[in-house]
Short mmCIF file of all heavy atoms in Angstrom, two decimals:
data_model
loop_
_atom_site.label_atom_id
_atom_site.label_comp_id
_atom_site.label_asym_id
_atom_site.label_seq_id
_atom_site.Cartn_x
_atom_site.Cartn_y
_atom_site.Cartn_z
N ILE A 79 65.74 117.17 130.55
CA ILE A 79 66.76 118.19 130.29
C ILE A 79 66.20 119.18 129.28
O ILE A 79 65.81 118.81 128.17
CB ILE A 79 68.06 117.56 129.75
CG1 ILE A 79 68.64 116.61 130.81
CG2 ILE A 79 69.07 118.64 129.38
CD1 ILE A 79 69.85 115.85 130.33
N ARG A 141 68.89 142.94 123.66
CA ARG A 141 67.88 143.06 122.61
C ARG A 141 67.93 144.46 122.04
O ARG A 141 67.57 145.44 122.70
CB ARG A 141 66.48 142.78 123.16
CG ARG A 141 65.37 142.93 122.12
CD ARG A 141 64.00 142.84 122.72
NE ARG A 141 63.63 141.47 123.04
CZ ARG A 141 62.50 141.13 123.64
NH1 ARG A 141 61.64 142.08 124.01
NH2 ARG A 141 62.23 139.86 123.89
N HIS A 162 61.84 118.64 112.32
CA HIS A 162 61.94 117.78 113.50
C HIS A 162 60.61 117.05 113.69
O HIS A 162 59.54 117.63 113.54
CB HIS A 162 62.25 118.62 114.75
CG HIS A 162 62.60 117.80 115.95
ND1 HIS A 162 61.65 117.16 116.70
CD2 HIS A 162 63.79 117.48 116.51
CE1 HIS A 162 62.24 116.49 117.68
NE2 HIS A 162 63.55 116.68 117.59
N ARG A 286 57.42 92.44 112.40
CA ARG A 286 56.35 93.12 111.66
C ARG A 286 55.14 92.20 111.52
O ARG A 286 55.27 90.97 111.44
CB ARG A 286 56.85 93.58 110.30
CG ARG A 286 57.27 92.45 109.38
CD ARG A 286 57.85 93.00 108.07
NE ARG A 286 58.24 91.91 107.19
CZ ARG A 286 59.43 91.31 107.21
NH1 ARG A 286 60.33 91.70 108.09
NH2 ARG A 286 59.71 90.34 106.37
N GLN A 335 34.30 125.10 112.29
CA GLN A 335 34.84 124.41 111.12
C GLN A 335 35.22 125.38 110.02
O GLN A 335 36.30 125.25 109.40
CB GLN A 335 33.81 123.41 110.60
CG GLN A 335 34.32 122.50 109.49
CD GLN A 335 35.29 121.44 109.98
OE1 GLN A 335 35.50 121.32 111.18
NE2 GLN A 335 35.89 120.71 109.07
N CYS A 435 41.97 101.44 93.08
CA CYS A 435 41.46 100.08 93.15
C CYS A 435 42.47 99.12 93.74
O CYS A 435 43.66 99.26 93.58
CB CYS A 435 41.07 99.59 91.75
SG CYS A 435 39.82 100.62 90.98
#
Side-chain angles (χ1 to χ4, degrees):
I79 298 175
R141 178 188 284 176
H162 190 282
R286 63 184 181 273
Q335 188 73 6
C435 301

